[in-house]
Amino acid sequence: MNQITSLCKRRGFVFPSSEIYSGFGSCYDFGPLGVELKNNIKKAWWKEMLQNQEDVVGLDASILMSAKVWQASGHLTAGFADELVDCKKCHHRFRKDFLEKNKCPDCGGELTEARKFNLMMKTFVGPVEDEAAQTYLRAETCQGIYVNFLNVLNSSRQKIPFGIAQIGKAFRNEITPGNFIFRMREFEQMEMQWFCEPKQADKFFDFWKEQRIKWYLGLGIKKENIRAIEVPEKERAHYAKKQIDIEYKFAFGWKEIEGIHNRGDWDLSNHAKHSRQDLRYFDEAAKEKYFPHIIETSVGVERSFLAFLCEAYQEVEGGRTKTTKSKKEKEIVLKLHQDLAPIKIIVLPLVKNKLKIVKKAREVWQLLKPWFVCQYDDAGSIGRRYRRGDEIGVLYAITIDFETLEQEDVTIRDRDTMKQERIKIKELIEFLKSKSVMGDSRLSG
Ligand code: ATP
């Protein structure tokens, strides 16, 4: 984890928030490469969960909602609280369920009785900070989906079963955040809520569980590093009738990266009760009204970001880029899946003091830029530039040399096979497309 944290800082993936003021309580900022990787994860999820499915539509609900939403969902009551204990000696605080012994893990001191601590973050809307103006930053994105169930149903003519997917920020006042970006107080969730007939809920639960595991495997997570664990009743979220945690084998142990939940009719029936709106679905074939049951898939963007980084991070023996003198010296290669790699291509003039080469290299860069996320790099020896590219997972390094000026071709080096080929400049775009290198980085792209 230390190597990954330091790579993230050094190369501009992740920075501690408000760092010049000594940081701010488990919030992080995503730098130039981090935002590309995050966007690629979100794009891969959106493609899988909407484009590749038949009946899933998207939504972007607001973060701030009526406080009544959180009353109805059970988040303001005991349902969304962790048990907090304090050390009587060093005053450090811990989540009781994370402790193995009934002693302070930092100093061995005696602990206080556990008390409930609600994770919702309070805020005020409007100029008067009274109770009527009080609301909360959302702790999960899915409530925005439930309160829009009728709007989506009526405006998009969906029939059950169908899903609504959303990506957005969520906030939790975690007692013990930590492990870098694994547990933060502000994070992003990618959630899909599948509305179905109650008697089909078990079938769809299994279906979505399989789909979600396949998504990770398809993006390079190895089978032995991922598992699905059924959560026993007493440890389940307050809304869950059935729960599976998809876990990744991090350096600090097996930890949840995604939850699959059968939420039954908990959310819709509670919102119907509190809002006095009929949120039941009329099934034309069966001629009956019922609350659809909900299967939820919920993953944190940053947790999956960390899992993808851990999976991709490799230290290989020196010599790969001719920048290391012995095999003992390690070189870093980030073997991110090609859809996730933040920068797909780097364009490298062999030398930077020959005008013709520089001009040609910039021409190649301009040619590729509208199609792929690529960078131009002319600083340092060619070996160092290959090495910098490998470290951030660049898929292809394209070198412009003296031969290019005569032959109109370039050397293209593949990150994973290390194979180098000469390709005509006019064939470059087709060549990269034939390797399925993903197009531009915009989320909608
Ligand atoms: P945990 O048990 O780790 O606190 P949870 O069971 O409360 O997680 P869910 O409410 O099921 O998590 O949220 C779904 C997903 O959202 C999680 O699998 C995780 O990827 C992400 N997530 C939840 N809390 C955080 C957090 N504090 N920081 C980053 N990601 C989070």
Side-chain angles (χ1 to χ4, degrees):
M1 279 306 291
N2 284 345
Q3 275 108 311
I4 286 176
T5 315
S6 94
L7 178 74
C8 281
K9 173 84 198 296
R10 187 159 49 82
R11 298 308 312 273
F13 282 91
V14 185
F15 309 123
S17 162
S18 318
E19 198 183 7
I20 59 168
Y21 294 101
S22 317
F24 184 69
S26 277
C27 294
Y28 288 90
D29 299 337
F30 289 78
L33 295 180
V35 67
E36 295 287 349
L37 175 53
K38 252 181 125 176
N39 280 349
N40 289 343
I41 292 172
K42 290 191 263 186
K43 201 160 151 184
W45 185 88
W46 198 256
K47 181 161 188 255
E48 172 62 21
M49 300 304 281
L50 280 96
Q51 198 179 328
N52 291 353
Q53 306 298 334
E54 289 188 5
D55 298 303
V56 181
V57 291
L59 184 80
D60 186 11
S62 74
I63 290 175
L64 294 172
M65 290 187 276
S66 163
K68 290 176 186 162
V69 171
W70 303 107
Q71 202 73 50
S73 68
H75 281 77
L76 295 184
T77 46
F80 198 62
D82 285 334
E83 292 207 308
L84 169 73
V85 289
D86 293 274
C87 171
K88 289 183 183 167
K89 205 162 135 201
C90 70
H91 306 294
H92 288 172
R93 291 187 163 161
F94 307 96
R95 244 173 88 166
K96 191 170 177 229
D97 59 333
F98 284 180
L99 296 178
E100 281 168 17
K101 295 188 189 121
N102 203 19
K103 285 261 178 295
C104 172
D106 292 345
C107 73
E110 199 185 327
L111 299 171
T112 59
E113 286 294 305
R115 62 186 189 282
K116 289 277 184 192
F117 177 81
N118 195 288
L119 304 184
M120 299 285 293
M121 293 220 193
K122 263 187 214 149
T123 188
F124 295 93
V125 173
V128 186
E129 293 193 359
D130 62 8
E131 207 173 313
Q134 185 178 301
T135 190
Y136 303 85
L137 301 183
R138 66 182 177 198
E140 55 182 22
T141 58
C142 56
Q143 294 302 327
I145 295 182
Y146 308 139
V147 297
N148 276 295
F149 169 66
L150 280 190
N151 283 337
V152 175
L153 189 67
N154 295 336
S155 60
S156 61
R157 291 176 292 117
Q158 293 294 336
K159 286 204 166 35
I160 270 171
F162 76 97
I164 306 178
Q166 175 170 231
I167 300 177
K169 290 268 185 179
F171 304 82
R172 295 183 187 179
N173 203 4
E174 300 276 0
I175 300 170
T176 46
N179 282 330
F180 190 35
I181 56 170
F182 178 81
R183 188 175 300 284
M184 306 190 292
R185 294 201 168 103
E186 173 182 335
F187 55 99
E188 264 186 294
Q189 288 187 312
M190 306 187 280
E191 297 197 309
M192 194 282 301
Q193 312 296 315
W194 183 253
F195 300 87
C196 64
E197 255 185 277
K199 61 174 184 284
Q200 299 219 324
D202 287 339
K203 178 183 96 180
F204 283 121
F205 185 94
D206 293 341
F207 172 80
W208 285 111
K209 182 189 102 182
E210 296 304 322
Q211 293 293 304
R212 295 304 305 140
I213 290 174
K214 268 195 220 154
W215 184 75
Y216 291 102
L217 298 177
L219 288 173
I221 300 283
K222 283 186 234 49
K223 237 182 174 156
E224 62 268 27
N225 290 339
I226 193 163
R227 68 181 189 189
I229 297 286
E230 176 140 13
V231 180
E233 193 176 352
K234 64 177 185 350
E235 290 168 28
R236 277 183 223 149
H238 65 278
Y239 47 72
K241 284 172 68 153
K242 186 171 179 192
Q243 177 173 342
I244 274 181
D245 286 349
I246 298 181
E247 296 186 339
Y248 179 75
K249 196 176 180 189
F250 288 100
F252 45 89
W254 284 99
K255 296 281 176 208
E256 172 185 341
I257 50 173
E258 171 155 358
I260 314 287
H261 307 120
N262 177 350
R263 298 179 73 124
D265 68 357
W266 167 270
D267 300 279
L268 288 183
S269 66
N270 275 311
H271 283 306
K273 197 163 86 196
H274 283 76
S275 66
R276 299 206 182 93
Q277 304 276 327
D278 187 358
L279 299 182
R280 289 173 302 166
Y281 174 81
F282 179 64
D283 191 319
E284 281 167 26
K287 299 264 179 292
E288 59 168 354
K289 269 186 158 185
Y290 57 81
F291 286 113
H293 280 202
I294 293 171
I295 306 301
E296 163 182 73
T297 72
S298 173
V299 48
V301 177
E302 296 83 357
R303 272 197 201 174
S304 58
F305 180 113
L306 189 58
F308 288 126
L309 270 187
C310 292
E311 191 75 34
Y313 183 92
Q314 290 187 13
E315 286 181 354
V316 296
E317 60 182 29
R320 193 181 147 94
T321 58
K322 302 201 178 79
T323 56
T324 36
K325 293 206 178 62
S326 88
K327 289 193 168 181
K328 278 194 202 129
E329 243 180 283
K330 297 278 183 247
E331 294 181 26
I332 297 169
V333 191
L334 208 53
K335 292 209 170 173
L336 282 167
H337 184 277
Q338 62 175 29
D339 288 355
L340 300 184
I343 308 290
K344 310 296 180 195
I345 296 152
I346 39 171
V347 177
L348 316 169
L350 184 67
V351 287
K352 68 168 180 183
N353 53 2
K354 290 276 176 281
L355 202 63
K356 281 188 178 162
I357 289 199
V358 170
K359 198 166 160 255
K360 196 51 147 187
R362 293 188 73 88
E363 254 173 57
V364 171
W365 183 40
Q366 294 298 337
L367 173 79
L368 298 177
K369 259 164 84 65
W371 296 91
F372 311 101
V373 179
C374 53
Q375 276 186 351
Y376 181 84
D377 187 1
D378 64 4
S381 72
I382 197 81
R384 286 185 80 84
R385 285 181 273 160
Y386 278 151
R387 188 165 175 179
R388 274 203 298 268
D390 284 350
E391 229 180 42
I392 59 168
V394 170
L395 303 174
Y396 295 100
I398 294 179
T399 307
I400 285 77
D401 55 19
F402 291 98
E403 226 178 299
T404 310
L405 303 177
E406 279 156 28
Q407 308 288 334
E408 282 292 310
D409 62 3
V410 294
T411 303
I412 183 159
R413 168 188 177 269
D414 182 312
R415 177 196 72 192
D416 296 334
T417 62
M418 299 279 291
K419 214 175 115 195
Q420 303 205 5
E421 302 180 54
R422 295 292 298 189
I423 305 270
K424 292 279 177 212
I425 293 174
K426 64 175 189 314
E427 286 160 15
L428 262 179
I429 292 175
E430 278 318 307
F431 171 84
L432 291 162
K433 283 190 180 168
S434 76
K435 300 279 184 190
S436 304
V437 177
M438 202 173 67
D440 71 56
S441 78
R442 282 164 293 170
L443 256 185
S444 57

